[in-house]
Amino acid sequence: MLNNSIIDRLKLPFRKEKELFSSLRDILGFYPRNIELYKLALMHKSIARRNAKGKPVNNERLEFLGDAVLDAVVGDIVYRHFEGKREGFLTNTRSKLVQRDTLNKLAQEMGINRLILSSGHSNSHNNYMGGNAFEALVGAIYLDRGYDMCMRFMQNRILSQLINIDKVAYKEVNFKSKLIEWSQKNKVRLDFKLVSQAKENGGSPVFVYKAVIEGLDGGQGKGYSKKESQQLASKETLQRLKREPQFIDAVFAAKTDRTKMEEMPVLNVPDTEEKQDFIITHDIPEESEAVVPKPKCQSKVDVPVVEDDSDEFDLSDITATPKSQSREDIIAAAEAAAYE
């Protein structure tokens, strides 16, 4: 704790301000110079204060600055810590360290949340308030002490005491990406459907999404952005798949039914052959039938002759004829008998 002599030298006028100074010393690890910057960093927009010119006074501008400084500082630390790693790995690790969930937990663990000045009508956004104040404090540190102090704060107070950077780097936190990867590996259909969209009293949009796997409702998530709600829905769905054997069985049963329907042959396939109705065809007798030479008038059509050993037709079937008949008459009579 800060002793009284140091506080007296700073000439802080009010007891509450002295307490704030002491609390910030415990949180940040150094003494603030311009206390007004830190007071502004802890002022949520729900207070709705305005300056003499009528402009709102809150921590949003410091939050914007702190977000940019935090990206640069953490990017610097990650670059030096993971030597030889590729750009994609470094970007992913930095994103995990500065994402809203991480900053919210840091603000809670460090006691920043209890110092935030806000109205009582913004409790629904408490999950944002801590992380926003953390970024605003980084912006205040940058203006008060410079970039090097921001680096020391992140290295000495955050990464050495509160966060294991190696565990964060290799931990999967993108639940939507993880669920999509699982569904693709198992060839399972996955969709995200919007359940509802509304606005709170403060005008902030609220989204509710659910994950649908093979037509079955999975997890559902509510958030203040589409991305956040889908992440929460994915997380709940993964938990159900892991903890509820009956749910995962139902998913694969639905998949089996779907694939069966897709693999069933389609009946009554249209015929693609063109009918040759305009061609006149001649019947060819089977091998068991005797083929008799066609009359001379049809000699132009080539019909194969099939030899037959049967005695169904020979010259003995022709009855004797009078001697007065000519050779041509005999042949004609034989042919006539054969075609009968």
Side-chain angles (χ1 to χ4, degrees):
M1 295 296 292
L2 195 63
N3 58 50
N4 292 331
S5 61
I6 296 176
I7 294 177
D8 291 339
R9 288 200 302 271
L10 293 169
K11 297 181 180 181
L12 299 176
F14 304 108
R15 179 176 178 81
K16 286 186 177 180
E17 203 158 280
K18 293 179 181 179
E19 292 175 354
L20 175 61
F21 191 92
S22 299
S23 298
L24 288 172
R25 166 62 179 83
D26 294 337
I27 291 172
L28 305 177
F30 58 86
Y31 307 119
R33 291 174 179 171
N34 185 352
I35 192 65
E36 295 300 323
L37 287 172
Y38 299 89
K39 288 166 63 176
L40 184 61
L42 296 170
M43 188 177 297
H44 189 256
K45 64 181 180 180
S46 60
I47 294 297
R49 289 187 180 178
R50 296 183 178 274
N51 60 16
K53 296 181 180 181
K55 294 183 178 181
V57 178
N58 54 55
N59 63 1
E60 287 186 330
R61 283 172 54 84
L62 282 175
E63 177 191 339
F64 165 79
L65 178 61
D67 179 51
V69 174
L70 197 59
D71 273 350
V73 170
V74 174
D76 191 342
I77 294 172
V78 170
Y79 177 83
R80 299 175 190 275
H81 186 82
F82 296 102
E83 185 177 356
K85 290 292 185 180
R86 295 185 177 181
E87 182 269 343
F89 175 87
L90 300 178
T91 300
N92 193 30
T93 301
R94 182 183 62 183
S95 299
K96 293 176 185 178
L97 289 170
V98 301
Q99 69 176 345
R100 189 63 54 197
D101 288 343
T102 303
L103 300 184
N104 290 337
K105 291 177 182 178
L106 286 174
Q108 181 67 35
E109 291 294 324
M110 298 173 71
I112 294 175
N113 286 357
R114 61 184 176 84
L115 299 178
I116 298 174
L117 184 62
S118 67
S119 69
H121 302 290
S122 57
N123 291 332
S124 61
H125 285 274
N126 281 340
N127 58 332
Y128 283 135
M129 204 177 294
N132 293 345
F134 184 94
E135 288 180 335
L137 281 174
V138 173
I141 296 170
Y142 176 75
L143 294 177
D144 186 40
R145 291 294 191 96
Y147 180 86
D148 290 340
M149 184 60 76
C150 293
M151 178 70 73
R152 287 171 55 189
F153 167 67
M154 288 302 298
Q155 286 181 324
N156 300 336
R157 301 292 292 179
I158 305 301
L159 298 179
S160 64
Q161 297 182 21
L162 298 175
I163 293 180
N164 186 322
I165 189 172
D166 294 296
K167 286 186 177 181
V168 171
Y170 295 101
K171 181 181 179 181
E172 178 58 64
V173 295
N174 191 334
F175 299 109
K176 182 179 178 181
S177 176
K178 196 170 184 179
L179 180 59
I180 291 174
E181 181 181 357
W182 179 87
S183 63
Q184 289 176 344
K185 285 183 178 179
N186 291 278
K187 297 181 180 179
V188 169
R189 284 186 175 176
L190 171 66
D191 297 297
F192 289 93
K193 294 186 177 181
L194 178 64
V195 178
S196 64
Q197 179 179 348
K199 286 188 177 181
E200 292 188 337
N201 295 334
S204 300
V206 179
F207 301 89
V208 178
Y209 270 87
K210 67 178 178 181
V212 181
I213 305 181
E214 289 293 348
L216 302 176
D217 290 345
Q220 185 168 295
K222 177 181 179 181
Y224 298 100
S225 68
K226 294 179 181 179
K227 181 178 179 180
E228 181 185 9
S229 59
Q230 290 179 4
Q231 282 284 348
L232 294 174
S234 299
K235 181 179 181 181
E236 184 177 326
T237 303
L238 288 170
Q239 290 174 342
R240 288 194 62 189
L241 289 170
K242 192 171 184 180
R243 299 173 183 175
E244 302 178 22
Q246 66 275 17
F247 177 62
I248 197 169
D249 289 344
V251 169
F252 281 99
K255 174 194 171 184
T256 301
D257 292 339
R258 173 179 61 81
T259 53
K260 280 182 179 179
M261 292 294 294
E262 292 178 352
E263 294 174 359
M264 287 181 63
V266 180
L267 302 179
N268 299 325
V269 180
D271 192 359
T272 58
E273 289 189 13
E274 297 182 6
K275 293 184 178 181
Q276 305 292 340
D277 297 338
F278 55 89
I279 297 178
I280 300 174
T281 59
H282 297 274
D283 294 334
I284 300 176
E286 297 181 358
E287 294 182 358
S288 60
E289 297 180 355
V291 178
V292 179
K294 297 293 182 179
K296 292 181 180 179
C297 61
Q298 298 179 355
S299 61
K300 292 183 179 180
V301 179
D302 295 329
V303 179
V305 178
V306 179
E307 296 182 356
D308 194 348
D309 295 334
S310 65
D311 296 330
E312 291 181 359
F313 171 73
D314 56 20
L315 293 178
S316 63
D317 291 332
I318 303 175
T319 56
T321 57
K323 292 182 180 179
S324 60
Q325 288 183 327
S326 64
R327 184 173 180 276
E328 288 77 8
D329 294 336
I330 295 172
I331 294 175
E335 289 181 346
Y339 280 99
E340 288 176 358

